[in-house]
Amino acid sequence: MLEPLRQGLPPLDPSAVSSAASCALPARYEAVGSARQFTRKTLVSWELEERFDDIALVVSELVTNALRHALPADTPRAACPIGATEDAPVRLHMMRWTSRLVCAVRDPSDDSPVAREEAEDDFSAESGRGLFLVDSFSDGWGWHPLAGALNGKVVWALFQLA
């Protein structure tokens, strides 16, 4: 288990954000592709398309983790069509400041992300390296529980911009 980490997260003051975008993602693994498309479209509109590869990889890992580990086991995986926002359990947020970008994935689980211990890492395994990749390709990441009327958590990754 990882303790909530807010260190390195830009201020949450909405007036400090220069641009923001978000999209709802249904409980379907195809939503990972939709998240990448949304990321490309957003980065192009912000003239940051040169950062697409790293940011899209991190977004893919964060969304995959949310779909795989943060939804109840009985969540229907095909009930909500791609693009529908009703009952979409996962949401991708992108926020841009002058010198940094944050990608944040909100999910309904109160459980903390779980990173594998380095000694356990099997780099030939097909899964289990998501948070390692997030850590490797972003300039920082963390998570925090949601408060108030919202349940769940947000897992975020920070990218410094030139």
PDB file of all heavy atoms in Angstrom, residues 30 39 59 72 74 104 120 134 139 145 155:
ATOM      1  N   GLU A  30     -11.570  -1.020 -23.889  1.00  0.00           N
ATOM      2  CA  GLU A  30     -11.434  -0.194 -25.095  1.00  0.00           C
ATOM      3  C   GLU A  30     -11.337   1.286 -24.738  1.00  0.00           C
ATOM      4  O   GLU A  30     -10.892   2.099 -25.546  1.00  0.00           O
ATOM      5  CB  GLU A  30     -12.607  -0.417 -26.051  1.00  0.00           C
ATOM      6  CG  GLU A  30     -12.660  -1.798 -26.658  1.00  0.00           C
ATOM      7  CD  GLU A  30     -13.430  -2.805 -25.783  1.00  0.00           C
ATOM      8  OE1 GLU A  30     -13.785  -2.507 -24.624  1.00  0.00           O
ATOM      9  OE2 GLU A  30     -13.662  -3.918 -26.276  1.00  0.00           O
ATOM     10  N   THR A  39      -6.162  12.248 -25.246  1.00  0.00           N
ATOM     11  CA  THR A  39      -4.871  12.840 -24.893  1.00  0.00           C
ATOM     12  C   THR A  39      -4.226  13.480 -26.113  1.00  0.00           C
ATOM     13  O   THR A  39      -3.737  14.612 -26.051  1.00  0.00           O
ATOM     14  CB  THR A  39      -3.943  11.769 -24.272  1.00  0.00           C
ATOM     15  OG1 THR A  39      -4.566  11.265 -23.078  1.00  0.00           O
ATOM     16  CG2 THR A  39      -2.570  12.326 -23.947  1.00  0.00           C
ATOM     17  N   VAL A  59      -0.853   7.904 -19.350  1.00  0.00           N
ATOM     18  CA  VAL A  59      -2.325   7.905 -19.316  1.00  0.00           C
ATOM     19  C   VAL A  59      -2.851   6.490 -19.507  1.00  0.00           C
ATOM     20  O   VAL A  59      -3.758   6.047 -18.790  1.00  0.00           O
ATOM     21  CB  VAL A  59      -2.896   8.866 -20.386  1.00  0.00           C
ATOM     22  CG1 VAL A  59      -4.366   8.597 -20.654  1.00  0.00           C
ATOM     23  CG2 VAL A  59      -2.689  10.313 -19.958  1.00  0.00           C
ATOM     24  N   PRO A  72     -15.407  -2.465  -8.877  1.00  0.00           N
ATOM     25  CA  PRO A  72     -15.896  -3.704  -8.277  1.00  0.00           C
ATOM     26  C   PRO A  72     -15.907  -4.825  -9.306  1.00  0.00           C
ATOM     27  O   PRO A  72     -16.125  -4.593 -10.504  1.00  0.00           O
ATOM     28  CB  PRO A  72     -17.318  -3.349  -7.839  1.00  0.00           C
ATOM     29  CG  PRO A  72     -17.337  -1.855  -7.745  1.00  0.00           C
ATOM     30  CD  PRO A  72     -16.345  -1.365  -8.770  1.00  0.00           C
ATOM     31  N   ASP A  74     -18.003  -6.983 -10.034  1.00  0.00           N
ATOM     32  CA  ASP A  74     -19.267  -7.201 -10.737  1.00  0.00           C
ATOM     33  C   ASP A  74     -19.638  -6.043 -11.675  1.00  0.00           C
ATOM     34  O   ASP A  74     -20.732  -6.007 -12.210  1.00  0.00           O
ATOM     35  CB  ASP A  74     -20.392  -7.455  -9.745  1.00  0.00           C
ATOM     36  CG  ASP A  74     -20.619  -6.277  -8.796  1.00  0.00           C
ATOM     37  OD1 ASP A  74     -19.796  -5.336  -8.788  1.00  0.00           O
ATOM     38  OD2 ASP A  74     -21.625  -6.309  -8.063  1.00  0.00           O
ATOM     39  N   ALA A 104      -4.594  13.256 -14.470  1.00  0.00           N
ATOM     40  CA  ALA A 104      -5.164  12.666 -13.259  1.00  0.00           C
ATOM     41  C   ALA A 104      -6.306  11.747 -13.647  1.00  0.00           C
ATOM     42  O   ALA A 104      -7.139  12.108 -14.485  1.00  0.00           O
ATOM     43  CB  ALA A 104      -5.658  13.767 -12.329  1.00  0.00           C
ATOM     44  N   GLU A 120      10.427  -8.185  -6.285  1.00  0.00           N
ATOM     45  CA  GLU A 120       9.402  -9.044  -6.884  1.00  0.00           C
ATOM     46  C   GLU A 120       9.266  -8.829  -8.391  1.00  0.00           C
ATOM     47  O   GLU A 120       8.612  -9.610  -9.061  1.00  0.00           O
ATOM     48  CB  GLU A 120       8.037  -8.760  -6.260  1.00  0.00           C
ATOM     49  CG  GLU A 120       7.905  -9.160  -4.826  1.00  0.00           C
ATOM     50  CD  GLU A 120       6.513  -8.817  -4.316  1.00  0.00           C
ATOM     51  OE1 GLU A 120       5.532  -9.016  -5.068  1.00  0.00           O
ATOM     52  OE2 GLU A 120       6.402  -8.354  -3.188  1.00  0.00           O
ATOM     53  N   VAL A 134       4.825   4.563 -14.952  1.00  0.00           N
ATOM     54  CA  VAL A 134       4.377   5.914 -14.613  1.00  0.00           C
ATOM     55  C   VAL A 134       5.512   6.682 -13.949  1.00  0.00           C
ATOM     56  O   VAL A 134       5.792   7.824 -14.306  1.00  0.00           O
ATOM     57  CB  VAL A 134       3.124   5.859 -13.703  1.00  0.00           C
ATOM     58  CG1 VAL A 134       2.791   7.234 -13.141  1.00  0.00           C
ATOM     59  CG2 VAL A 134       1.928   5.292 -14.470  1.00  0.00           C
ATOM     60  N   ASP A 139       7.495  13.084 -14.372  1.00  0.00           N
ATOM     61  CA  ASP A 139       8.423  13.775 -13.475  1.00  0.00           C
ATOM     62  C   ASP A 139       8.005  13.636 -12.015  1.00  0.00           C
ATOM     63  O   ASP A 139       8.669  14.157 -11.131  1.00  0.00           O
ATOM     64  CB  ASP A 139       8.513  15.255 -13.856  1.00  0.00           C
ATOM     65  CG  ASP A 139       9.172  15.428 -15.211  1.00  0.00           C
ATOM     66  OD1 ASP A 139      10.312  14.953 -15.367  1.00  0.00           O
ATOM     67  OD2 ASP A 139       8.540  16.009 -16.112  1.00  0.00           O
ATOM     68  N   PRO A 145      -7.002  10.512  -1.731  1.00  0.00           N
ATOM     69  CA  PRO A 145      -8.420  10.166  -1.663  1.00  0.00           C
ATOM     70  C   PRO A 145      -9.269  11.393  -1.952  1.00  0.00           C
ATOM     71  O   PRO A 145      -8.839  12.524  -1.708  1.00  0.00           O
ATOM     72  CB  PRO A 145      -8.600   9.684  -0.217  1.00  0.00           C
ATOM     73  CG  PRO A 145      -7.486  10.314   0.542  1.00  0.00           C
ATOM     74  CD  PRO A 145      -6.355  10.498  -0.428  1.00  0.00           C
ATOM     75  N   VAL A 155      -5.408   9.365  -9.009  1.00  0.00           N
ATOM     76  CA  VAL A 155      -3.997   9.034  -9.205  1.00  0.00           C
ATOM     77  C   VAL A 155      -3.504   9.988 -10.295  1.00  0.00           C
ATOM     78  O   VAL A 155      -4.118  10.089 -11.356  1.00  0.00           O
ATOM     79  CB  VAL A 155      -3.803   7.562  -9.624  1.00  0.00           C
ATOM     80  CG1 VAL A 155      -2.318   7.245  -9.766  1.00  0.00           C
ATOM     81  CG2 VAL A 155      -4.452   6.621  -8.611  1.00  0.00           C
TER      82      VAL A 155
END
